[in-house]
Amino acid sequence: MAKSRRDSADSYTLRARKEGYPARSVYKLEEMQVQHRLIRPGDKVLDVGAAPGSWTLYVHNKILKDTGSIVAVDLNPLSLNPVPFNVTSLTGDAFSSEIREQLTSLGPYDVIISDAAPMTTGIRSVDTSKSEYLSESVFHLALEQLKVHGNLVIKIYQGGGEATLLQEMRKRFKKAKGFKPKASRSDSFELFLIGLDKLGDNHINQ
Ligand SMILES: C[S@@+](CC[C@H](N)C(=O)[O-])C[C@H]1O[C@@H](n2cnc3c(N)ncnc32)[C@H](O)[C@@H]1O
């Protein structure tokens, strides 16, 4: 059977293999980091929906090196071997009470990055509403666990309330914008929402 376009390895997949990253999604974070300097050496970073672990590995290898720390949470374990020394890996639903408790005890965080995505069904309205739930949950986690002046990245499927969420982010961050990485697949309807410089509770934009 002929391979579909999605099955065949594209240049990002080949580059990820060559550079030792378990997923091509690393280059989406790289684009956002290069444009917005989201993460700085010494930061405490929370990666939500971290498996197999490309974003976490990139943050460790390219930004933090032997400074700062990362908490990586996913329903599935990371496939990094070894897991870098400054990474705490939690396996479970990021929004369950048990994991929330652990995230709280390890926080607060300078930066929260989330590439969390639901299991897709192929039915766009179902997939976008699952993505909307996840992205709103990450936003609420950030309201609790992200430090003032912190930065946030949330993935959402377009058609899943991205305009409303962006509006909410604009109230809570000095700047918030949508970002479509070049590394996203051409048929992907994902969008990243970036919040820069979280405002204090007394400075919320109305
Ligand atoms: C696209 S993958 C992330 C890839 C990752 N950024 C990387 O570069 O390796 C999306 C991840 O979101 C995770 N996920 C979805 N819902 C979640 C939840 N409620 N809690 C934790 N992780 C979740 C999935 O298990 C999946 O591993």
Side-chain angles (χ1 to χ4, degrees):
M1 192 195 287
K3 273 188 162 188
S4 72
R5 223 157 38 102
R6 183 171 275 280
D7 290 337
S8 60
D10 64 11
S11 62
Y12 288 109
T13 307
L14 295 173
R15 191 176 147 203
R17 268 183 218 155
K18 198 167 138 211
E19 295 181 355
Y21 291 103
R24 67 192 289 295
S25 48
V26 60
Y27 303 111
K28 303 172 195 172
L29 178 62
E30 184 181 62
E31 279 179 51
M32 292 187 270
Q33 172 67 12
V34 167
Q35 284 202 24
H36 295 290
R37 202 154 180 251
L38 302 164
I39 307 161
R40 291 158 196 254
D43 278 350
K44 186 189 276 193
V45 179
L46 171 61
D47 185 356
V48 181
S54 294
W55 280 26
T56 290
L57 192 61
Y58 173 84
V59 172
H60 169 75
N61 285 355
K62 301 287 184 185
I63 308 166
L64 301 186
K65 299 175 181 156
D66 53 2
T67 72
S69 59
I70 309 167
V71 176
V73 59
D74 201 288
L75 297 169
N76 302 305
L78 299 182
S79 67
L80 303 179
N81 189 12
V83 173
F85 73 94
N86 56 354
V87 173
T88 302
S89 170
L90 305 176
T91 304
D93 181 344
F95 314 109
S96 65
S97 50
E98 189 192 330
I99 298 279
R100 288 286 283 259
E101 237 171 72
Q102 294 183 63
L103 294 180
T104 305
S105 70
L106 294 163
Y109 304 93
D110 298 292
V111 184
I112 298 180
I113 50 176
S114 176
D115 191 23
M119 287 276 282
T120 50
T121 61
I123 303 167
R124 181 141 177 189
S125 57
V126 174
D127 296 340
T128 51
S129 64
K130 286 161 101 180
S131 166
E132 184 175 358
Y133 163 77
L134 273 180
S135 54
E136 280 179 4
S137 304
V138 174
F139 178 60
H140 286 284
L141 185 66
L143 293 184
E144 290 170 16
Q145 292 300 319
L146 185 63
K147 294 181 191 171
V148 173
H149 300 306
N151 298 326
L152 173 66
V153 173
I154 304 178
K155 175 155 89 178
I156 189 164
Y157 291 164
Q158 284 170 288
E162 67 277 10
T164 310
L165 184 52
L166 194 55
Q167 219 174 0
E168 286 305 305
M169 287 173 70
R170 289 196 168 121
K171 294 182 189 162
R172 298 296 192 141
F173 289 84
K174 197 162 176 191
K175 196 168 171 200
K177 59 174 284 191
F179 187 91
K180 192 96 184 137
K182 291 192 186 73
S184 286
R185 292 183 193 275
S186 55
D187 60 353
S188 165
F189 48 98
E190 72 186 4
L191 178 72
F192 290 87
L193 304 182
I194 300 176
L196 299 170
D197 198 351
K198 187 185 172 193
L199 301 169
D201 286 343
N202 299 331
H203 297 90
I204 295 168
N205 294 320
Q206 288 309 326

PDB file of all heavy atoms in Angstrom, residues 58 65 96 101 113 124 152 181 204:
ATOM      1  N   TYR A  58      14.556  19.674  24.557  1.00  0.00           N
ATOM      2  CA  TYR A  58      15.038  20.920  23.954  1.00  0.00           C
ATOM      3  C   TYR A  58      15.291  21.974  25.042  1.00  0.00           C
ATOM      4  O   TYR A  58      16.324  22.648  25.045  1.00  0.00           O
ATOM      5  CB  TYR A  58      13.997  21.433  22.942  1.00  0.00           C
ATOM      6  CG  TYR A  58      14.307  22.797  22.386  1.00  0.00           C
ATOM      7  CD1 TYR A  58      15.178  22.949  21.314  1.00  0.00           C
ATOM      8  CD2 TYR A  58      13.744  23.948  22.955  1.00  0.00           C
ATOM      9  CE1 TYR A  58      15.484  24.210  20.809  1.00  0.00           C
ATOM     10  CE2 TYR A  58      14.042  25.206  22.455  1.00  0.00           C
ATOM     11  CZ  TYR A  58      14.909  25.332  21.388  1.00  0.00           C
ATOM     12  OH  TYR A  58      15.206  26.582  20.901  1.00  0.00           O
ATOM     13  N   LYS A  65      20.289  23.933  30.209  1.00  0.00           N
ATOM     14  CA  LYS A  65      21.541  23.173  30.403  1.00  0.00           C
ATOM     15  C   LYS A  65      21.603  22.712  31.860  1.00  0.00           C
ATOM     16  O   LYS A  65      20.717  22.009  32.291  1.00  0.00           O
ATOM     17  CB  LYS A  65      22.734  23.977  29.932  1.00  0.00           C
ATOM     18  CG  LYS A  65      22.565  24.272  28.431  1.00  0.00           C
ATOM     19  CD  LYS A  65      23.597  25.146  27.854  1.00  0.00           C
ATOM     20  CE  LYS A  65      23.275  25.351  26.381  1.00  0.00           C
ATOM     21  NZ  LYS A  65      23.807  26.533  25.818  1.00  0.00           N
ATOM     22  N   SER A  96      -5.977  16.071  37.120  1.00  0.00           N
ATOM     23  CA  SER A  96      -6.543  15.274  38.214  1.00  0.00           C
ATOM     24  C   SER A  96      -6.106  15.895  39.533  1.00  0.00           C
ATOM     25  O   SER A  96      -5.078  16.583  39.595  1.00  0.00           O
ATOM     26  CB  SER A  96      -6.040  13.827  38.130  1.00  0.00           C
ATOM     27  OG  SER A  96      -4.637  13.814  38.354  1.00  0.00           O
ATOM     28  N   GLU A 101      -2.035  18.429  42.878  1.00  0.00           N
ATOM     29  CA  GLU A 101      -1.389  18.611  44.185  1.00  0.00           C
ATOM     30  C   GLU A 101       0.133  18.586  44.042  1.00  0.00           C
ATOM     31  O   GLU A 101       0.843  19.407  44.617  1.00  0.00           O
ATOM     32  CB  GLU A 101      -1.799  17.461  45.104  1.00  0.00           C
ATOM     33  CG  GLU A 101      -2.445  17.899  46.390  1.00  0.00           C
ATOM     34  CD  GLU A 101      -3.019  16.717  47.131  1.00  0.00           C
ATOM     35  OE1 GLU A 101      -2.226  15.927  47.673  1.00  0.00           O
ATOM     36  OE2 GLU A 101      -4.266  16.572  47.134  1.00  0.00           O
ATOM     37  N   ILE A 113       4.610  25.610  29.388  1.00  0.00           N
ATOM     38  CA  ILE A 113       4.466  25.319  27.952  1.00  0.00           C
ATOM     39  C   ILE A 113       3.573  24.089  27.828  1.00  0.00           C
ATOM     40  O   ILE A 113       3.726  23.123  28.590  1.00  0.00           O
ATOM     41  CB  ILE A 113       5.830  25.075  27.270  1.00  0.00           C
ATOM     42  CG1 ILE A 113       6.687  24.057  28.039  1.00  0.00           C
ATOM     43  CG2 ILE A 113       6.594  26.379  27.117  1.00  0.00           C
ATOM     44  CD1 ILE A 113       8.012  23.701  27.345  1.00  0.00           C
ATOM     45  N   ARG A 124     -14.123  16.501  13.372  1.00  0.00           N
ATOM     46  CA  ARG A 124     -13.492  17.777  13.747  1.00  0.00           C
ATOM     47  C   ARG A 124     -14.174  18.452  14.933  1.00  0.00           C
ATOM     48  O   ARG A 124     -13.514  18.957  15.832  1.00  0.00           O
ATOM     49  CB  ARG A 124     -13.452  18.715  12.526  1.00  0.00           C
ATOM     50  CG  ARG A 124     -12.781  20.014  12.877  1.00  0.00           C
ATOM     51  CD  ARG A 124     -11.910  20.566  11.807  1.00  0.00           C
ATOM     52  NE  ARG A 124     -11.384  21.860  12.237  1.00  0.00           N
ATOM     53  CZ  ARG A 124     -10.732  22.684  11.479  1.00  0.00           C
ATOM     54  NH1 ARG A 124     -10.483  22.363  10.241  1.00  0.00           N
ATOM     55  NH2 ARG A 124     -10.285  23.833  11.949  1.00  0.00           N
ATOM     56  N   LEU A 152       3.524  31.875  28.901  1.00  0.00           N
ATOM     57  CA  LEU A 152       2.650  30.699  28.735  1.00  0.00           C
ATOM     58  C   LEU A 152       2.507  30.355  27.260  1.00  0.00           C
ATOM     59  O   LEU A 152       2.358  31.246  26.418  1.00  0.00           O
ATOM     60  CB  LEU A 152       1.263  31.048  29.311  1.00  0.00           C
ATOM     61  CG  LEU A 152       0.122  30.056  29.121  1.00  0.00           C
ATOM     62  CD1 LEU A 152       0.391  28.753  29.900  1.00  0.00           C
ATOM     63  CD2 LEU A 152      -1.201  30.656  29.601  1.00  0.00           C
ATOM     64  N   PRO A 181       3.252  27.809  13.798  1.00  0.00           N
ATOM     65  CA  PRO A 181       4.644  27.512  13.424  1.00  0.00           C
ATOM     66  C   PRO A 181       4.756  26.949  12.010  1.00  0.00           C
ATOM     67  O   PRO A 181       3.862  26.236  11.542  1.00  0.00           O
ATOM     68  CB  PRO A 181       5.060  26.439  14.446  1.00  0.00           C
ATOM     69  CG  PRO A 181       3.999  26.389  15.472  1.00  0.00           C
ATOM     70  CD  PRO A 181       2.747  26.929  14.850  1.00  0.00           C
ATOM     71  N   ILE A 204      -5.100  43.343  36.215  1.00  0.00           N
ATOM     72  CA  ILE A 204      -5.771  42.638  35.119  1.00  0.00           C
ATOM     73  C   ILE A 204      -6.405  43.655  34.153  1.00  0.00           C
ATOM     74  O   ILE A 204      -7.013  44.627  34.592  1.00  0.00           O
ATOM     75  CB  ILE A 204      -6.861  41.716  35.695  1.00  0.00           C
ATOM     76  CG1 ILE A 204      -6.200  40.621  36.534  1.00  0.00           C
ATOM     77  CG2 ILE A 204      -7.729  41.107  34.604  1.00  0.00           C
ATOM     78  CD1 ILE A 204      -7.151  39.820  37.374  1.00  0.00           C
TER      79      ILE A 204
END
